[in-house]
Amino acid sequence: MIEATCHCGAVRITVPRKPRQLTSCNCSICRRYGALWAYYKAKDVSVRSARGATTGYCWGDKSLRFVRCNTCGCVTHWEPVTSQGDSRVGVNARNFEPSALGASRVRRFDGASSWKFLD
Ligand SMILES: [Zn+2]
């Protein structure tokens, strides 16, 4: 198990393993957040925070919610608004300790246009 936390520690996310691959996406929201996404099955991700500690942001078709900490402002993850059995969650790998990411490959994804990897 490894843990990602926001800067102040109010939001804690545990996942079963280090990410093998990280995605740097250039879509309108990801490029502004500067996030590196690690994808996991929703059932493998545990998010702990106090009630009212986070704010969600939805845009476009409003199928995903981008969650950030109300105290320190760090974007911690995105999750489906309506969860299904096979749902994915994107954990912002910037919130892992750097040592958890040493061997992870970063891929550049063209979410802004072609929806293909650029590398
Ligand atoms: Zn925080």
Side-chain angles (χ1 to χ4, degrees), residues 40-46 79-80 83-89:
Y40 295 92
K41 292 176 183 164
K43 67 179 177 58
D44 290 339
V45 179
S46 167
E79 60 194 11
S83 183
Q84 275 134 29
D86 58 348
S87 294
R88 277 199 318 174
V89 167

Side-chain angles (χ1 to χ4, degrees), residues 74-96:
C74 294
V75 174
T76 54
H77 65 293
W78 56 253
E79 60 194 11
V81 170
T82 306
S83 183
Q84 275 134 29
D86 58 348
S87 294
R88 277 199 318 174
V89 167
V91 175
N92 183 2
R94 299 284 191 193
N95 296 313
F96 289 123

Side-chain angles (χ1 to χ4, degrees), residues 4-7 10-13 29-30 33 35-37 45-59 63-82 88-95:
T5 71
C6 67
H7 192 262
V11 185
R12 296 181 172 274
I13 299 177
I29 189 72
C30 294
Y33 285 154
L36 281 179
W37 301 116
V45 179
S46 167
V47 180
R48 284 170 295 143
S49 61
R51 184 178 295 274
T54 61
T55 298
Y57 175 64
C58 299
W59 70 288
S63 61
L64 300 178
R65 176 192 300 122
F66 291 82
V67 179
R68 66 181 182 273
C69 173
N70 285 341
T71 301
C72 66
C74 294
V75 174
T76 54
H77 65 293
W78 56 253
E79 60 194 11
V81 170
T82 306
R88 277 199 318 174
V89 167
V91 175
N92 183 2
R94 299 284 191 193
N95 296 313

